[in-house]
Amino acid sequence: MPWSWAIFASASKSNHTTPPAVLMRYDGRPAIGLGISNVLGGNVVQMGDAVKQRLSELDGQRPVGMELNVVSYQSDSVRAAVDNFVANLAWAAAQAATANIELLIEPINLRDVPHYFLNRQDEAHAIVAEVGAPNLKVQMDLYHCQIVEGDVATKLRKYLPTGRVAHLQIAGVPERREPDRGELYHPYLFALIDELGYNDHIGCEYRPAAG
């Protein structure tokens, strides 16, 4: 055939949309393109690994005369960024240790800070575990945790006993007002925090409703 159409498909939790087709060529030849995007909140590195594995499995099933080429994997860029982040943290933690300083990393939601690198509690704890420095820990902001993941009480039960949470922060969700407003019931969470034996500080970081 003289040309073919590029097909771009995107998936999300709420719907599926296929935009209008556009002409595509690869290496000067007619081609069919397939773009795969992650669901909101998904792990792009895990998705990239899964896509690579599936493409490898399908390689022997290609029709005669069809070539399979990968233009780019965002997961490779993300993995390189994570590796660089971990290496920099390891260096910074070593420098801080000479002055008896503790470093904290904080997952933050993408609604308040678009494109922020670290968003989930499990990702933060995985990075801390990979660096392996005793003076590198997590700052757990329950406001961000609720927006990104929810199930805050379960997250507290999971991560506080690890000893890797060095500071907690609170605010009313979703407007980041005073903690006595919004969808989180802090008296329950405070009782749970006491029950779990957390003895460090709890900070209030919010935007006062009165301005």
PDB file of all heavy atoms in Angstrom, residues 2-8 20-25 30-31 33:
ATOM      1  N   PRO A   2       0.438   2.354  -0.582  1.00  0.00           N
ATOM      2  CA  PRO A   2       1.288   3.531  -0.723  1.00  0.00           C
ATOM      3  C   PRO A   2       1.573   4.229   0.589  1.00  0.00           C
ATOM      4  O   PRO A   2       2.576   4.914   0.723  1.00  0.00           O
ATOM      5  CB  PRO A   2       0.472   4.433  -1.661  1.00  0.00           C
ATOM      6  CG  PRO A   2      -0.948   3.999  -1.437  1.00  0.00           C
ATOM      7  CD  PRO A   2      -0.870   2.522  -1.197  1.00  0.00           C
ATOM      8  N   TRP A   3       0.719   4.087   1.582  1.00  0.00           N
ATOM      9  CA  TRP A   3       0.944   4.719   2.872  1.00  0.00           C
ATOM     10  C   TRP A   3       0.053   4.042   3.892  1.00  0.00           C
ATOM     11  O   TRP A   3      -0.822   3.258   3.571  1.00  0.00           O
ATOM     12  CB  TRP A   3       0.670   6.220   2.843  1.00  0.00           C
ATOM     13  CG  TRP A   3      -0.599   6.617   2.139  1.00  0.00           C
ATOM     14  CD1 TRP A   3      -0.717   7.095   0.875  1.00  0.00           C
ATOM     15  CD2 TRP A   3      -1.934   6.530   2.648  1.00  0.00           C
ATOM     16  NE1 TRP A   3      -2.024   7.317   0.548  1.00  0.00           N
ATOM     17  CE2 TRP A   3      -2.800   6.980   1.629  1.00  0.00           C
ATOM     18  CE3 TRP A   3      -2.488   6.121   3.850  1.00  0.00           C
ATOM     19  CZ2 TRP A   3      -4.176   7.030   1.771  1.00  0.00           C
ATOM     20  CZ3 TRP A   3      -3.867   6.175   4.007  1.00  0.00           C
ATOM     21  CH2 TRP A   3      -4.700   6.620   2.978  1.00  0.00           C
ATOM     22  N   SER A   4       0.287   4.326   5.140  1.00  0.00           N
ATOM     23  CA  SER A   4      -0.575   3.778   6.188  1.00  0.00           C
ATOM     24  C   SER A   4      -0.842   4.863   7.219  1.00  0.00           C
ATOM     25  O   SER A   4      -0.242   5.931   7.191  1.00  0.00           O
ATOM     26  CB  SER A   4       0.079   2.561   6.846  1.00  0.00           C
ATOM     27  OG  SER A   4       1.362   2.887   7.333  1.00  0.00           O
ATOM     28  N   TRP A   5      -1.731   4.585   8.134  1.00  0.00           N
ATOM     29  CA  TRP A   5      -2.135   5.555   9.140  1.00  0.00           C
ATOM     30  C   TRP A   5      -1.464   5.266  10.464  1.00  0.00           C
ATOM     31  O   TRP A   5      -1.255   4.117  10.832  1.00  0.00           O
ATOM     32  CB  TRP A   5      -3.648   5.526   9.334  1.00  0.00           C
ATOM     33  CG  TRP A   5      -4.405   5.932   8.118  1.00  0.00           C
ATOM     34  CD1 TRP A   5      -4.913   5.127   7.152  1.00  0.00           C
ATOM     35  CD2 TRP A   5      -4.699   7.260   7.711  1.00  0.00           C
ATOM     36  NE1 TRP A   5      -5.517   5.859   6.166  1.00  0.00           N
ATOM     37  CE2 TRP A   5      -5.401   7.178   6.484  1.00  0.00           C
ATOM     38  CE3 TRP A   5      -4.445   8.526   8.255  1.00  0.00           C
ATOM     39  CZ2 TRP A   5      -5.855   8.290   5.801  1.00  0.00           C
ATOM     40  CZ3 TRP A   5      -4.907   9.622   7.566  1.00  0.00           C
ATOM     41  CH2 TRP A   5      -5.593   9.509   6.361  1.00  0.00           C
ATOM     42  N   ALA A   6      -1.127   6.323  11.176  1.00  0.00           N
ATOM     43  CA  ALA A   6      -0.597   6.152  12.535  1.00  0.00           C
ATOM     44  C   ALA A   6      -1.774   6.090  13.500  1.00  0.00           C
ATOM     45  O   ALA A   6      -2.720   6.850  13.383  1.00  0.00           O
ATOM     46  CB  ALA A   6       0.312   7.318  12.910  1.00  0.00           C
ATOM     47  N   ILE A   7      -1.709   5.199  14.422  1.00  0.00           N
ATOM     48  CA  ILE A   7      -2.786   5.028  15.395  1.00  0.00           C
ATOM     49  C   ILE A   7      -2.242   5.350  16.769  1.00  0.00           C
ATOM     50  O   ILE A   7      -1.277   4.740  17.221  1.00  0.00           O
ATOM     51  CB  ILE A   7      -3.322   3.589  15.373  1.00  0.00           C
ATOM     52  CG1 ILE A   7      -3.764   3.212  13.949  1.00  0.00           C
ATOM     53  CG2 ILE A   7      -4.467   3.426  16.364  1.00  0.00           C
ATOM     54  CD1 ILE A   7      -4.070   1.752  13.803  1.00  0.00           C
ATOM     55  N   PHE A   8      -2.834   6.312  17.450  1.00  0.00           N
ATOM     56  CA  PHE A   8      -2.408   6.683  18.780  1.00  0.00           C
ATOM     57  C   PHE A   8      -3.553   6.393  19.743  1.00  0.00           C
ATOM     58  O   PHE A   8      -4.645   6.930  19.580  1.00  0.00           O
ATOM     59  CB  PHE A   8      -2.019   8.165  18.852  1.00  0.00           C
ATOM     60  CG  PHE A   8      -0.799   8.482  18.037  1.00  0.00           C
ATOM     61  CD1 PHE A   8      -0.920   8.900  16.725  1.00  0.00           C
ATOM     62  CD2 PHE A   8       0.467   8.322  18.577  1.00  0.00           C
ATOM     63  CE1 PHE A   8       0.207   9.177  15.969  1.00  0.00           C
ATOM     64  CE2 PHE A   8       1.594   8.598  17.824  1.00  0.00           C
ATOM     65  CZ  PHE A   8       1.464   9.029  16.516  1.00  0.00           C
ATOM     66  N   PRO A  20      -8.049  11.557  16.060  1.00  0.00           N
ATOM     67  CA  PRO A  20      -8.069  11.361  14.610  1.00  0.00           C
ATOM     68  C   PRO A  20      -6.748  10.801  14.110  1.00  0.00           C
ATOM     69  O   PRO A  20      -5.673  11.154  14.599  1.00  0.00           O
ATOM     70  CB  PRO A  20      -8.315  12.786  14.071  1.00  0.00           C
ATOM     71  CG  PRO A  20      -8.981  13.503  15.200  1.00  0.00           C
ATOM     72  CD  PRO A  20      -8.383  12.924  16.447  1.00  0.00           C
ATOM     73  N   ALA A  21      -6.833   9.907  13.113  1.00  0.00           N
ATOM     74  CA  ALA A  21      -5.621   9.302  12.555  1.00  0.00           C
ATOM     75  C   ALA A  21      -4.816  10.337  11.774  1.00  0.00           C
ATOM     76  O   ALA A  21      -5.362  11.273  11.185  1.00  0.00           O
ATOM     77  CB  ALA A  21      -6.000   8.154  11.634  1.00  0.00           C
ATOM     78  N   VAL A  22      -3.488  10.159  11.755  1.00  0.00           N
ATOM     79  CA  VAL A  22      -2.603  11.053  11.012  1.00  0.00           C
ATOM     80  C   VAL A  22      -1.599  10.206  10.239  1.00  0.00           C
ATOM     81  O   VAL A  22      -1.288   9.085  10.629  1.00  0.00           O
ATOM     82  CB  VAL A  22      -1.846  12.015  11.963  1.00  0.00           C
ATOM     83  CG1 VAL A  22      -2.807  12.961  12.644  1.00  0.00           C
ATOM     84  CG2 VAL A  22      -1.036  11.241  12.990  1.00  0.00           C
ATOM     85  N   LEU A  23      -1.128  10.731   9.129  1.00  0.00           N
ATOM     86  CA  LEU A  23      -0.126  10.022   8.342  1.00  0.00           C
ATOM     87  C   LEU A  23       1.167   9.885   9.125  1.00  0.00           C
ATOM     88  O   LEU A  23       1.579  10.790   9.833  1.00  0.00           O
ATOM     89  CB  LEU A  23       0.137  10.765   7.029  1.00  0.00           C
ATOM     90  CG  LEU A  23      -0.987  10.709   5.991  1.00  0.00           C
ATOM     91  CD1 LEU A  23      -0.649  11.623   4.816  1.00  0.00           C
ATOM     92  CD2 LEU A  23      -1.187   9.294   5.497  1.00  0.00           C
ATOM     93  N   MET A  24       1.830   8.748   8.982  1.00  0.00           N
ATOM     94  CA  MET A  24       3.077   8.537   9.713  1.00  0.00           C
ATOM     95  C   MET A  24       4.075   7.795   8.838  1.00  0.00           C
ATOM     96  O   MET A  24       3.712   6.909   8.045  1.00  0.00           O
ATOM     97  CB  MET A  24       2.807   7.709  10.981  1.00  0.00           C
ATOM     98  CG  MET A  24       4.045   7.419  11.800  1.00  0.00           C
ATOM     99  SD  MET A  24       3.668   6.531  13.326  1.00  0.00           S
ATOM    100  CE  MET A  24       5.315   6.413  14.025  1.00  0.00           C
ATOM    101  N   ARG A  25       5.332   8.173   8.984  1.00  0.00           N
ATOM    102  CA  ARG A  25       6.424   7.465   8.312  1.00  0.00           C
ATOM    103  C   ARG A  25       7.529   7.234   9.328  1.00  0.00           C
ATOM    104  O   ARG A  25       7.743   8.042  10.227  1.00  0.00           O
ATOM    105  CB  ARG A  25       6.946   8.258   7.116  1.00  0.00           C
ATOM    106  CG  ARG A  25       5.908   8.560   6.064  1.00  0.00           C
ATOM    107  CD  ARG A  25       6.490   9.309   4.889  1.00  0.00           C
ATOM    108  NE  ARG A  25       7.347   8.481   4.057  1.00  0.00           N
ATOM    109  CZ  ARG A  25       6.885   7.660   3.102  1.00  0.00           C
ATOM    110  NH1 ARG A  25       5.570   7.596   2.867  1.00  0.00           N
ATOM    111  NH2 ARG A  25       7.708   6.927   2.388  1.00  0.00           N
ATOM    112  N   PRO A  30       6.459   4.147   4.925  1.00  0.00           N
ATOM    113  CA  PRO A  30       5.136   4.136   5.555  1.00  0.00           C
ATOM    114  C   PRO A  30       5.139   3.256   6.797  1.00  0.00           C
ATOM    115  O   PRO A  30       5.805   2.217   6.837  1.00  0.00           O
ATOM    116  CB  PRO A  30       4.231   3.560   4.462  1.00  0.00           C
ATOM    117  CG  PRO A  30       4.959   3.825   3.187  1.00  0.00           C
ATOM    118  CD  PRO A  30       6.420   3.711   3.517  1.00  0.00           C
ATOM    119  N   ALA A  31       4.380   3.687   7.792  1.00  0.00           N
ATOM    120  CA  ALA A  31       4.412   2.945   9.059  1.00  0.00           C
ATOM    121  C   ALA A  31       3.077   3.063   9.773  1.00  0.00           C
ATOM    122  O   ALA A  31       2.243   3.917   9.468  1.00  0.00           O
ATOM    123  CB  ALA A  31       5.527   3.484   9.952  1.00  0.00           C
ATOM    124  N   GLY A  33       1.918   3.488  13.707  1.00  0.00           N
ATOM    125  CA  GLY A  33       2.474   3.795  15.023  1.00  0.00           C
ATOM    126  C   GLY A  33       1.469   3.504  16.123  1.00  0.00           C
ATOM    127  O   GLY A  33       0.265   3.710  15.965  1.00  0.00           O
TER     128      GLY A  33
END
